[in-house]
């Protein structure tokens, strides 16, 4: 599913069709695992590592920009959520073709 949005929408729908009913159901269950523990795990871990780097690096109060370093892990998390939302919505809406999402 990494090519979604980077190719012709009809190719994306051929991929969704090729999954079959059981494959689409399994994709939904796997993406549910991805939404909860996996995503939260790398966001929390990234935030903790950023906070540790700031505290061990001797960040001074006047360099407030560095205090936002732990939030950097939220950027890939937001894009990952968006990708999973679009693809899961396509899977759940099948056979309807939501062209905006493909």
């Amino acid at each position: 599913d990494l090519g979604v949005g980077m190719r012709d929408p009809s190719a994306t729908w051929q991929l969704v069709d090729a999954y079959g009913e059981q494959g689409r159901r399994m994709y939904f269950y796997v993406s549910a695992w991805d939404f909860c523990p996996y995503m939260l795990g790398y966001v929390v871990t990234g935030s903790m590592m950023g906070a540790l780097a700031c505290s061990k690096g001797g960040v001074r109060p006047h360099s407030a920009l560095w205090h936002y370093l732990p939030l950097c892990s939220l950027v890939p998390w937001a894009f990952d959520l968006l990708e999973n939302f679009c693809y899961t919505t396509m899977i759940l809406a099948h056979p309807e073709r939501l062209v905006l999402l493909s």
Side-chain angles (χ1 to χ4, degrees):
D1 67 337
L2 294 176
V4 173
M6 296 182 201
R7 61 177 158 222
D8 182 42
S10 63
T12 302
W13 287 110
Q14 287 174 354
L15 180 65
V16 172
D17 290 337
Y19 285 165
E21 184 64 34
Q22 186 177 4
R24 287 188 294 274
R25 192 174 321 121
M26 289 303 297
Y27 188 93
F28 178 74
Y29 293 139
V30 169
S31 68
W33 167 257
D34 190 35
F35 276 128
C36 298
Y38 173 71
M39 280 190 195
L40 291 177
Y42 76 71
V43 168
V44 169
T45 302
S47 297
M48 288 173 34
M49 290 175 68
L52 181 65
C54 285
S55 68
K56 295 294 181 187
V59 174
R60 294 177 176 46
H62 67 274
S63 58
L65 188 59
W66 286 101
H67 292 288
Y68 294 106
L69 179 66
L71 300 177
C72 288
S73 61
L74 295 177
V75 174
W77 175 70
F79 282 108
D80 202 9
L81 268 179
L82 179 64
E83 176 205 4
N84 283 349
F85 172 77
C86 290
Y87 207 70
T88 303
T89 303
M90 288 171 50
I91 295 276
L92 292 175
H94 188 271
E96 185 179 334
R97 305 284 196 224
L98 303 173
V99 178
L100 178 65
L101 297 178
S102 62

